[in-house]
Amino acid sequence: MPPNRMAELRSEIDEINLQLLELLNKRATIASEIGKIQAQHGSQIYDPQRESQMLTILQMANEGPFSNETISALFKEVFKATLNLEEKEARANFLVQRKSADQKTVVELPDGTHIGNSQFTVIAGPCAIESYEQYDEVAAALVEEGVKVMRAMAYKPRTSPYDFQGLGEPGLKIARQVANKYGLMLVSEVLDQSQLAMMDDYVDMFWVGARNMQNAFLLRAIGKMNKPVVLKRHFGATLKEFLYAAEYIMSEGNDQIILMERGIRTFSQWTRNTLDIGAVPLLKQESHLPIVVDVSHSAGRRDLAIPFAKVAKASGADGMMVEVHPNPSVAMSDAKQQLSIPQFKELMKELRKLNTDLEPEPAGD
Amino acid sequence: MPPNRMAELRSEIDEINLQLLELLNKRATIASEIGKIQAQHGSQIYDPQRESQMLTILQMANEGPFSNETISALFKEVFKATLNLEEKEARANFLVQRKSADQKTVVELPDGTHIGNSQFTVIAGPCAIESYEQYDEVAAALVEEGVKVMRAMAYKPRTSPYDFQGLGEPGLKIARQVANKYGLMLVSEVLDQSQLAMMDDYVDMFWVGARNMQNAFLLRAIGKMNKPVVLKRHFGATLKEFLYAAEYIMSEGNDQIILMERGIRTFSQWTRNTLDIGAVPLLKQESHLPIVVDVSHSAGRRDLAIPFAKVAKASGADGMMVEVHPNPSVAMSDAKQQLSIPQFKELMKELRKLNTDLEPEPAGD
Amino acid sequence: MPPNRMAELRSEIDEINLQLLELLNKRATIASEIGKIQAQHGSQIYDPQRESQMLTILQMANEGPFSNETISALFKEVFKATLNLEEKEARANFLVQRKSADQKTVVELPDGTHIGNSQFTVIAGPCAIESYEQYDEVAAALVEEGVKVMRAMAYKPRTSPYDFQGLGEPGLKIARQVANKYGLMLVSEVLDQSQLAMMDDYVDMFWVGARNMQNAFLLRAIGKMNKPVVLKRHFGATLKEFLYAAEYIMSEGNDQIILMERGIRTFSQWTRNTLDIGAVPLLKQESHLPIVVDVSHSAGRRDLAIPFAKVAKASGADGMMVEVHPNPSVAMSDAKQQLSIPQFKELMKELRKLNTDLEPEPAGD
Amino acid sequence: MPPNRMAELRSEIDEINLQLLELLNKRATIASEIGKIQAQHGSQIYDPQRESQMLTILQMANEGPFSNETISALFKEVFKATLNLEEKEARANFLVQRKSADQKTVVELPDGTHIGNSQFTVIAGPCAIESYEQYDEVAAALVEEGVKVMRAMAYKPRTSPYDFQGLGEPGLKIARQVANKYGLMLVSEVLDQSQLAMMDDYVDMFWVGARNMQNAFLLRAIGKMNKPVVLKRHFGATLKEFLYAAEYIMSEGNDQIILMERGIRTFSQWTRNTLDIGAVPLLKQESHLPIVVDVSHSAGRRDLAIPFAKVAKASGADGMMVEVHPNPSVAMSDAKQQLSIPQFKELMKELRKLNTDLEPEPAGD
């Protein structure tokens, strides 16, 4: 093992990196001047023919070891970056990216509840609003356990067009009435930008489901709203795609975003999805946004809710989401994963055992 | 011991077999009714906890000689068979489901082009419309090769909000102008239901991309249009979810749907996705809709376009889609997978070798 | 929602289940008598022709809703179970399966260390034994932190035949010498049954790696040894396959097995594998064997070792495994995931914060 | 502003481009040397932490106009290109790697049958040898269809230790007797190196199953045999790992290796595995070894055998493997995927339709 030789080579690389950096920036300065000239003459900045010529010159000069194809690919990135610089450098810094070790976004709800501020927040509620009675019963139980934020799902994205699709606006009315009675904050899934204006009257926080994680129109429209949003990872999405989806929202001005890890689709079949718990520390490293873990959809079975709640807390997440229903076996959706109220109370008790930064023990319980 | 005793025992076994048969089918009938109730309430049919309860009851009642383990194993097979039956039945009433061996939907375009009618249709064109010149050059090459349907992408769904998002309506104007010049049909991706009315003036067929495969609002809105649609499988979607997405469209009255297999996301990293070629015969078994294979996005590398085109044809697909660009190395998106025009001509030549049901050899070539 | 109707149907199913149970056992009793007759006459028990006849009778009598194919499949299971009953019912109860809520196997090492007995055990050490100095330095650090079980890898299974394959027996000699000096227990990977006799002299516990999880010859051979074994899940194996691999060992008489979850292969690429933390509670439900989490290979990056250690503990695992190296950047394998000694001490400190059932705080630290 | 200024700026850009080119290639040369050192020590080439450090240095040195984000993005492309180069180089010296466009290994069997020599070879036979009658019946059918190579599986690797494990050496005796009667070549799975000497007397070709794809002891031992081998891809293995497994064999001197693609494990559940048909052209690009497609295990359902056979042929594979049984419904293993003899004949008929490089139409059929 020649650690010295390795260190030597690495320091050469570092030196070349800095030379490349200098050249790239020098190139950008010149390109920017060209861009200004073009702008004065009203010609488009993007000039594929000029790019093609430059690539030809480079390929003729190339002696390897990089192949001509690789050199083309690299310079295309340089061209693209240059174009970006000229057209939208102001926006090019990714907004979701953590800029310093202590940067963190704290999401604030109208009642003063904070998410992302070192407490572990529990979001709970039934999979779907089904009736006043059902919703009221759950709400009462949540309040007893000190929960502040309640699911208020009135539009359910379903695999089959014939499955229960939610109560719609009447459901939202029920939820608002119950929320006002108990002083709860509501979070509700929006499926299409056309719903935003109406839903804005009922809910305290929007929710973008997995199926819409890459619906650019919806993300941009929410980016223009003045309200927090929970953004759920698609079960097939990489963490990069997840962060870029958040960027769609934030690039429109709304930074009140909570990321939600919810399990990914793998070959493993004893759970509905595979909880990707590594996503929590990785997203924390990359982004300043709060992150919560969905312990219901990740497992798809209620007997894992308590272990997953403990795991979520241990992972450093800012909170978790769990589905609670007065009578899960007759629930209109997700019957297998919703907790009954006693099961939910058991879960909260287990969480409280872990330590003291959770909401305090309910009085008189 | 006399052979009579053996015959006697065997006839007892035969008798028990028939009783088992009757009970199994009776059980299946009841389970099927339960399945229908669950389907109406949108709950998943597979219920591991109910199965667990049943096994516990059986194990407590079991007096041998079969061990509890064996009884569990046998009943798990019964559960699995029942589940298969219920799922098959649940799908039987779906509109996308094939009802007889020879049922097939043929999609017809305004110029009389048919897709799904035993010919192998090639859909081609650049990843995105970039300019009149670029689009015209590709169109001319397609016409030379006998292609009738051209990609006309003016809205690009991108991972990053800062990437090139397409030319928008001006791009559609370019595409229509070029299409009219050459007599080509246009297919174009729609990202949001709000675009449908405008796009309806320019294009001959809509395209729903992977990211929108489960955007129920968009699917339903297209279901109300009087125009064919290509529906692309999400890279994380099961075939069941894919068919159910088509059902969203068809349930609104539009049956002019072409399914597009495009590769799924797996652990394998030498290709962008893993082409799931088994999807073609399986979707053919289940559905009467035509199916085409995207040979560009499934591989994500142009050196696989020709083998994948051959494979698509051999699989029984109704056609394929391939990206073609005059100068792929400067393309504004998907640079690594678009074919150059000579590469595309090579692909068409290879396809023509396979047999004669493809578009005829271009004249004067 | 008609919960009454549902309950009614379910109770009918329960009734049929019990009738099926009775018939199946009656059938087994008769078949067992036939088996005895056949044995007396020296004929083989397995009789495919007779099975084929029975299937034909059943298919002719079958009126659905189960298809003939399904009925055949179900009865084939019955035939197989009957055959199993006759030939090896004694073994048919899976040994790894938990038989009661409080059943648990505690693995005991020669120095009295217990794994699976409510304490959280840390197994640590370098990826591979490289030299006396390297191994001694790590051992000293482990002892300071109260660790009792050390990795002693002398045979490395590598993807490439040209990669470092371990020091072999000389490495084991080093490890034993160091272990004796510090009073540590050794666990070491065995790649082939031919190594067992030799390794038995050096190590306190065997280790079956992921690549050998389904090597039946090796598993059976270890099942005959009188020494505990760590069995690592293959990154592509389901939990059922993992438990069945353990059964191969246990069916030969050795129940001193520790299961190790180590991440599965998914599309996600920011970590080497995806830690399947749900495996811990699920395996605990199914089996009485202790389970530990490999926090090094699951992430493949050392910056996740601390969060994964916390998560492992929270999940209910009996312990964890972490790679530690005096100078990870020059390690001969797994350089990116091994912890330095200070990083390992930090990890142990974080674990001790969680609660008190870990090994006590080291003296004089 | 005068066009001269524009030309001037552009020529400055051209100059910088060439300097960048030189630096990039210089950097690649050094990185390649680092890669070689890493390869010697068996560490993975991809090192996210080193990349992270380099980016930090660059961001600290960056003075614009490119933003830190853009600089990161550009250098990430450089890292990626470098990584590709290093990995390509690392593989270049591998024996399994194709060194020229026309290099190909042709496997030759004792009867003169060639695999990999432009013909499409069909390997067929029952999942397991069960009896003389069963084996003889299949053999007769294979010979009628012109098949030369027959499966002769006497040792079955099974998930459960209690499942049928094969007839062992008596099975091999049956197979040899039948093979001699019909002039067939035999291929048989070996599970452990201890079996090689005995099996060498009975079979014409060894077979390494998926579960043993990374059993280094077995691979090396086969590498020392003077007999061809079929090497089956593990369902969780990347193509790189698959080629490296072949390298284990070839590095010991045996180049008579046939690679077998058999489907990978994905989230998709309508087939047992997902046939990775892209593996065929990719392995052909990388390696000179023949490759065949297992159409039985990839699908796990016999109704896909014919489409998969066609697809295999279209993909450029050198052959395929299919399971055939006289009465699949009573087969002792893999009942769902084995073809009956009439189904097999149908498959061969369909293959013959495709073109003429297959074995000729059987005489008198």
Side-chain angles (χ1 to χ4, degrees), chain A residues 1-305:
Chain A
M1 223 171 329
N4 290 350
R5 181 65 187 138
M6 194 75 165
E8 214 174 279
L9 293 170
R10 286 199 158 159
S11 114
E12 284 180 48
I13 291 268
D14 286 341
E15 178 53 33
I16 293 176
N17 283 349
L18 292 173
Q19 292 173 33
L20 284 168
L21 175 67
E22 194 187 329
L23 279 171
L24 286 169
N25 276 323
K26 194 169 151 196
R27 193 186 183 289
T29 307
I30 299 169
S32 163
E33 193 176 341
I34 293 177
K36 276 174 208 138
I37 297 176
Q38 286 173 318
Q40 283 162 16
H41 297 92
S43 54
Q44 272 217 322
I45 288 168
Y46 176 55
D47 183 350
Q49 216 173 346
R50 163 76 179 146
E51 291 189 358
S52 186
Q53 285 160 3
M54 289 191 286
L55 291 178
T56 305
I57 295 172
L58 285 162
Q59 287 173 352
M60 284 168 57
N62 183 34
E63 297 179 342
F66 276 134
S67 68
N68 276 348
E69 188 147 51
T70 303
I71 288 299
S72 291
L74 287 174
F75 274 88
K76 228 183 101 44
E77 290 301 318
V78 174
F79 301 160
K80 211 165 71 183
T82 309
L83 204 63
N84 282 345
L85 181 72
E86 298 172 57
E87 288 185 343
K88 47 189 176 238
E89 201 189 356
R91 286 182 302 162
N93 275 306
F94 268 67
L95 302 166
V96 296
Q97 197 73 22
R98 181 191 289 281
K99 303 293 185 298
S100 65
D102 59 349
Q103 186 192 3
K104 70 177 168 186
T105 291
V106 177
V107 168
E108 181 168 356
L109 294 173
D111 69 343
T113 297
H114 291 91
I115 301 174
N117 198 5
S118 80
Q119 284 224 331
F120 188 76
T121 304
V122 176
I123 301 173
C127 176
I129 307 163
E130 295 175 9
S131 70
Y132 185 93
E133 293 68 28
Q134 171 244 24
Y135 202 73
D136 184 87
E137 189 173 347
V138 177
L142 299 190
V143 167
E144 270 182 39
E145 293 294 327
V147 170
K148 302 283 178 49
V149 190
M150 186 167 181
R151 288 173 64 93
M153 302 314 193
Y155 299 93
K156 298 298 306 168
R158 304 305 298 271
T159 299
S160 162
Y162 310 126
D163 284 349
F164 172 63
Q165 310 272 325
L167 293 184
E169 193 170 353
L172 292 175
K173 281 190 213 292
I174 289 172
R176 188 73 263 167
Q177 206 177 338
V178 171
N180 289 347
K181 175 177 168 188
Y182 291 103
L184 284 162
M185 295 284 99
L186 296 181
V187 57
S188 186
E189 179 160 0
V190 52
L191 296 181
D192 191 77
Q193 55 166 333
S194 62
Q195 301 175 307
L196 282 173
M198 177 275 287
M199 288 180 63
D200 200 28
D201 291 343
Y202 296 103
V203 305
D204 303 297
M205 183 153 56
F206 294 113
W207 171 295
V208 175
R211 288 171 180 81
N212 277 308
M213 193 201 83
Q214 293 195 313
N215 181 337
F217 277 68
L218 178 57
L219 297 175
R220 286 213 164 101
I222 287 180
K224 289 175 190 128
M225 304 296 288
N226 187 21
K227 198 159 262 184
V229 57
V230 169
L231 176 66
K232 199 168 165 180
R233 182 183 182 184
H234 189 276
F235 50 71
T238 62
L239 293 177
K240 182 180 148 188
E241 289 166 348
F242 189 22
L243 285 173
Y244 278 37
E247 187 75 15
Y248 265 93
I249 299 172
M250 205 163 162
S251 68
E252 298 291 338
N254 187 350
D255 76 339
Q256 294 285 291
I257 304 165
I258 298 167
L259 302 174
M260 179 178 281
E261 158 61 26
R262 50 64 49 86
I264 57 173
R265 193 165 268 186
T266 72
F267 66 82
S268 191
Q269 301 293 316
W270 280 7
T271 45
R272 181 166 164 180
N273 295 289
T274 298
L275 176 60
D276 180 12
I277 196 65
V280 178
L282 287 169
L283 290 171
K284 284 276 168 202
Q285 272 183 32
E286 295 291 322
S287 175
H288 50 80
L289 296 174
I291 170 152
V292 299
V293 174
D294 176 346
V295 305
S296 294
H297 294 83
S298 48
R301 39 190 293 176
R302 71 175 66 88
D303 57 359
L304 292 191

Side-chain angles (χ1 to χ4, degrees), chain D residues 66-266:
Chain D
F66 275 135
S67 69
N68 275 350
E69 277 306 312
T70 303
I71 287 300
S72 290
L74 287 174
F75 273 87
K76 277 180 188 159
E77 290 301 319
V78 173
F79 299 161
K80 211 166 68 185
T82 308
L83 194 63
N84 286 343
L85 186 71
E86 289 174 72
E87 288 192 338
K88 208 169 227 165
E89 280 180 353
R91 283 200 309 262
N93 297 319
F94 272 60
L95 301 167
V96 295
Q97 196 72 20
R98 180 190 290 282
K99 303 292 184 301
S100 66
D102 58 350
Q103 186 192 4
K104 70 178 168 187
T105 290
V106 177
V107 168
E108 180 168 357
L109 294 174
D111 69 342
T113 298
H114 291 91
I115 301 175
N117 198 6
S118 79
Q119 283 223 333
F120 188 76
T121 304
V122 176
I123 301 172
C127 176
I129 307 161
E130 295 175 9
S131 69
Y132 185 93
E133 293 69 26
Q134 171 244 25
Y135 202 73
D136 184 87
E137 189 173 348
V138 177
L142 299 190
V143 167
E144 271 182 40
E145 293 293 327
V147 170
K148 301 283 178 48
V149 191
M150 186 167 180
R151 287 173 63 93
M153 303 314 192
Y155 299 94
K156 299 296 307 167
R158 304 303 298 270
T159 300
S160 162
Y162 310 127
D163 282 349
F164 174 63
Q165 311 272 324
L167 293 185
E169 193 171 352
L172 292 175
K173 281 188 211 297
I174 290 172
R176 188 72 264 166
Q177 206 177 338
V178 171
N180 289 347
K181 174 176 171 191
Y182 291 103
L184 284 161
M185 296 283 100
L186 296 181
V187 57
S188 186
E189 178 159 2
V190 52
L191 296 181
D192 191 76
Q193 55 166 334
S194 62
Q195 302 176 305
L196 282 173
M198 178 274 287
M199 288 180 65
D200 200 28
D201 291 342
Y202 296 103
V203 305
D204 303 296
M205 182 153 56
F206 294 114
W207 171 296
V208 176
R211 290 172 180 80
N212 276 308
M213 194 200 83
Q214 294 194 313
N215 181 337
F217 276 69
L218 179 57
L219 297 174
R220 285 212 164 102
I222 287 180
K224 289 174 191 130
M225 304 296 287
N226 187 21
K227 197 159 263 186
V229 57
V230 169
L231 176 66
K232 198 167 167 182
R233 181 183 184 185
H234 188 277
F235 50 71
T238 62
L239 294 176
K240 182 180 146 188
E241 288 165 348
F242 188 23
L243 286 173
Y244 279 36
E247 186 76 13
Y248 264 92
I249 299 172
M250 205 164 163
S251 68
E252 298 291 337
N254 186 350
D255 76 339
Q256 295 285 292
I257 305 164
I258 299 168
L259 302 174
M260 179 177 281
E261 159 60 26
R262 48 66 47 87
I264 57 173
R265 194 166 267 185
T266 71

Side-chain angles (χ1 to χ4, degrees), chain D residues 282-299:
Chain D
L282 287 169
L283 290 170
K284 283 277 169 204
Q285 272 183 33
E286 295 290 322
S287 176
H288 50 81
L289 297 173
I291 169 151
V292 299
V293 174
D294 175 346
V295 305
S296 294
H297 295 83
S298 49

